[in-house]
Amino acid sequence: MDLKHSRSVKLNDGHYMPRLGFGTYAPPAVPKSKAFECTKVAIEAGFRHIDAALFYGNEEEVGAAIREKIADGTVKREDIFYTTKLWCTYLQPELVREALEISLKKLQLDYVDLFIIHNPVPMKSGHELLPKDANGKIILDTVDLRDTWEALEKCKDAGLTKSIGVSNFNRKQLEMILNKPGLKYKPTCNQVECHVYLNQSKLLEYCKSKDIVLVAYSALGSHRDPNWVEQNSPQLLDDPVLHAIAKKRNRTPGQVALRYLLQRGVVVLAKSFSEKRIKENMQIFEFELTADDMKEIDGLNKNFRYSKFLYAVNHPNYPFSEEY
């Protein structure tokens, strides 16, 4: 195996995506400056894949951190794999390029490596990221996602992004894109919630059969932001099985949870604002889980979702009504 790419996976368009990424989402209470500091720490620790989004509201800070690490010689631009996402208020095809250009301007970069549809459920178009009615309910919209996809293809052709993909799509939604007449580029990836309590085995198998990479968010459980996640959700990192295996392997439960996904061929996003844990997360290439470990962790799956997107549950594009 080519050593340069031994920690990367080749996408169906020929580009390479590092198998471990740094997640930059932070709940509103976390100061934006934290994203700047932690992205720098992550790059210094060896992270080369940075997962971000317009919706996270911190692309200026993340971009500044990347540019600083390029300026001081730590990395070159081509060493970094940067993902941004098309937010739900920009899913109308005529708004897609504008949304990407907003991100590029915030980042002060010429291109991103990956541009993905953040969620298949459109919200009312415009710059207001969470449009709400008088009762505080999010206002949803309709769109043909095949038209949205065509607009992403044009962004790739324009050189604004190297690769394009989707997030939170179920099998039917992926099939709709793959079977689209005149499809120019397949989605390279589908970024979904995936962890030991929701191991996505069926969706993973389907994605592999179509040469689509499954990228895991909330791989360590969730940020538990009360706006999106029920507060009585289980604490994944407290799981006794993970603790027992971690002790046996002389690792942390978080490292075991990430390594489990990695060994199944999933690209893993690890989010942390602790310097110690950022460095620990980078060490998941240094050990392996045994077949017995893997089987034991398989047994933890309970198809439990932290991010249920309940605001969209009655929308025809709601992705989680299907089994996978």
Side-chain angles (χ1 to χ4, degrees):
M1 193 190 250
D2 171 359
L3 203 62
K4 182 180 186 302
H5 295 305
S6 63
R7 291 185 177 184
S8 299
V9 57
K10 191 175 186 178
L11 302 174
N12 62 36
D13 63 0
H15 292 293
Y16 285 86
M17 173 192 278
R19 293 168 63 200
L20 175 63
F22 179 68
T24 60
Y25 176 78
V30 177
K32 301 282 181 221
S33 58
K34 202 83 177 132
F36 174 67
E37 293 307 330
C38 291
T39 302
K40 284 198 297 183
V41 168
I43 293 171
E44 283 158 10
F47 279 88
R48 295 295 176 260
H49 174 171
I50 312 288
D51 181 80
L54 178 66
F55 180 68
Y56 302 167
N58 56 13
E59 285 193 298
E60 285 102 333
E61 290 76 10
V62 174
I66 294 170
R67 293 197 322 276
E68 189 173 303
K69 290 286 107 192
I70 291 171
D72 74 9
T74 306
V75 287
K76 300 189 190 72
R77 171 64 187 92
E78 57 269 26
D79 297 331
I80 295 289
F81 186 98
Y82 183 90
T83 301
T84 193
K85 306 184 186 84
L86 176 69
W87 182 240
C88 308
T89 56
Y90 295 95
L91 295 191
Q92 302 300 335
E94 64 278 8
L95 299 178
V96 170
R97 180 167 176 157
E98 182 190 345
L100 179 51
E101 286 173 340
I102 291 169
S103 282
L104 289 169
K105 195 174 168 191
K106 288 176 186 289
L107 293 161
Q108 294 179 42
L109 295 175
D110 300 329
Y111 68 91
V112 297
D113 296 274
L114 178 64
F115 186 40
I116 62 181
I117 297 176
H118 203 142
N119 190 298
V121 181
M123 296 178 188
K124 179 178 170 241
S125 289
H127 297 305
E128 194 187 342
L129 298 181
L130 286 175
K132 290 178 179 170
D133 64 17
N135 304 317
K137 268 186 65 176
I138 292 174
I139 306 167
L140 303 179
D141 200 358
T142 54
V143 71
D144 187 331
L145 291 166
R146 291 169 293 194
D147 296 337
T148 311
W149 185 253
E150 245 171 66
L152 267 85
E153 292 179 325
K154 287 178 180 151
C155 290
K156 177 174 162 74
D157 283 337
L160 300 178
T161 181
K162 302 257 185 201
S163 299
I164 51 178
V166 298
S167 179
N168 297 305
F169 274 43
N170 62 31
R171 177 189 171 150
K172 275 192 178 158
Q173 291 166 328
L174 287 169
E175 279 180 343
M176 181 177 72
I177 302 292
L178 292 171
N179 298 330
K180 176 181 129 26
L183 180 73
K184 192 165 183 186
Y185 306 115
K186 282 166 64 166
T188 55
C189 66
N190 184 20
Q191 185 183 129
V192 295
E193 179 178 339
C194 181
H195 43 73
V196 300
Y197 290 158
L198 178 71
N199 73 23
Q200 296 281 18
S201 55
K202 287 189 171 168
L203 186 61
L204 176 59
E205 197 181 332
Y206 173 75
C207 286
K208 282 180 173 174
S209 76
K210 300 293 179 191
D211 198 14
I212 293 170
V213 171
L214 192 136
V215 180
Y217 72 76
S218 297
L220 295 167
S222 167
H223 49 73
R224 311 181 79 78
D225 177 349
N227 295 313
W228 302 96
V229 177
E230 289 157 12
Q231 293 306 283
N232 59 354
S233 303
Q235 291 277 9
L236 186 146
L237 291 176
D238 292 347
D239 193 280
V241 171
L242 291 181
H243 275 260
I245 294 173
K247 202 173 166 193
K248 208 164 51 181
R249 302 277 161 253
N250 202 16
R251 295 287 164 180
T252 68
Q255 288 172 328
V256 171
L258 296 175
R259 181 72 206 184
Y260 167 73
L261 297 175
L262 199 67
Q263 280 183 219
R264 295 167 68 230
V266 171
V267 168
V268 188
L269 303 176
K271 183 169 55 213
S272 177
F273 290 127
S274 137
E275 185 164 346
K276 179 174 173 281
R277 282 197 296 274
I278 289 170
K279 289 176 175 161
E280 281 174 359
N281 291 342
M282 198 66 227
Q283 291 161 3
I284 62 170
F285 295 102
E286 294 169 14
F287 73 103
E288 252 181 81
L289 296 170
T290 66
D292 286 345
D293 292 341
M294 293 295 287
K295 209 167 156 191
E296 207 177 337
I297 301 171
D298 281 339
L300 295 178
N301 182 55
K302 39 177 163 244
N303 293 327
F304 175 81
R305 261 179 218 287
Y306 288 95
S307 302
K308 297 186 175 79
F309 305 132
L310 294 176
Y311 66 87
V313 77
N314 297 317
H315 192 281
N317 289 15
Y318 183 69
F320 310 142
S321 331
E322 301 288 328
E323 188 198 352
Y324 68 98

